[in-house]
Amino acid sequence: MKSRMRPLALAGLIGALAGAAGMAGTANATCDPGKAGTELTGAEAAAVYDCLKDDLLAGYKTGDKRWIPAEFVNDYRSWAPASTFPAAPGFHGGRFLLTYVNEIGAPDYLKFKEDNVTIPPGTVIAKESFAVNDDGKAQKGPLFIMQKVEAGRSPETGDWFYMAVMPNGAPMAVNVITACSECHQGKFGSRGGLGYPLPEARVTP
């Protein structure tokens, strides 16, 4: 698995180029809420997601996933949801996120603990994303994935592998240290690097 992740860690400049093409996918105009994302209620954000969700999944599944295990992309919708509606916590480019956790990690993740967090190796977290700009236009976003690996395998990232799939299905090349780990460990170090949905969007444990 580590060999799969090496291209991510080394290809930050490719990510900058890929971002323009794939980070913000166009969406069907019928999904546009007609108001800025910062003004959406939870119900309005959920309505945008309901309109986009089929296209999001179809896009993520398109094409070869290369270093990203295809089963993560194919199966994440069968995992435990961690949020009841998409919320924009301010990270991941201010996008709205909907989070899923696989069966290995769900029992611990869904406790939403703030400290003394223990997450078992094999945990995989997937976050669907979309954005709504100031003109009320919806845009499909990447699928962000975190995989917890055994202790000592990736100490520079807190033993997390980070991956992302663009809306067109292409694996996204990013510098996982500067683009992912530094934020997760810097802001959520007491949680073991875990970012949670906003409190009002969390499922009830």
Side-chain angles (χ1 to χ4, degrees):
M1 181 64 197
K2 193 168 185 176
S3 64
R4 287 174 172 167
M5 290 305 299
R6 187 58 56 191
L8 276 175
L10 298 178
L13 75 162
I14 299 175
L17 297 174
M23 280 284 284
T26 57
N28 189 321
T30 60
C31 299
D32 295 344
K35 58 173 28 174
T38 54
E39 299 176 2
L40 296 183
T41 66
E44 289 169 335
V48 175
Y49 173 74
D50 286 342
C51 183
L52 293 174
K53 64 181 181 181
D54 290 344
D55 284 345
L56 282 173
L57 185 60
Y60 296 149
K61 287 184 174 183
T62 299
D64 183 11
K65 296 299 168 275
R66 300 178 64 193
W67 61 86
I68 299 175
E71 63 269 23
F72 293 173
V73 181
N74 292 333
D75 298 345
Y76 75 88
R77 285 257 182 102
S78 68
W79 301 348
S83 41
T84 57
F85 62 87
F91 306 105
H92 295 279
R95 294 178 177 86
F96 289 86
L97 305 174
L98 202 68
T99 304
Y100 297 85
V101 189
N102 73 351
E103 63 181 7
I104 295 174
D108 290 297
Y109 183 95
L110 296 179
K111 294 175 183 176
F112 302 116
K113 293 176 64 175
E114 292 296 329
D115 49 37
N116 299 316
V117 178
T118 301
I119 291 292
T123 295
V124 185
I125 301 165
K127 298 185 179 186
E128 296 179 301
S129 74
F130 66 89
V132 177
N133 66 19
D134 290 343
D135 294 324
K137 304 296 184 182
Q139 294 179 317
K140 294 177 286 187
L143 177 68
F144 299 102
I145 301 170
M146 297 173 62
Q147 179 189 15
K148 186 68 171 178
V149 296
E150 60 270 22
R153 186 168 182 184
S154 184
E156 67 273 21
T157 62
D159 295 315
W160 286 102
F161 284 167
Y162 295 90
M163 297 157 265
V165 177
M166 293 188 289
N168 63 6
M172 192 172 145
V174 296
N175 185 320
V176 298
I177 302 297
T178 59
C180 306
S181 184
E182 287 183 356
C183 180
H184 277 264
Q185 297 302 323
K187 297 182 180 298
F188 311 120
S190 64
R191 305 175 183 170
L194 292 175
Y196 298 141
L198 291 175
E200 61 268 27
R202 296 173 189 174
V203 299
T204 302

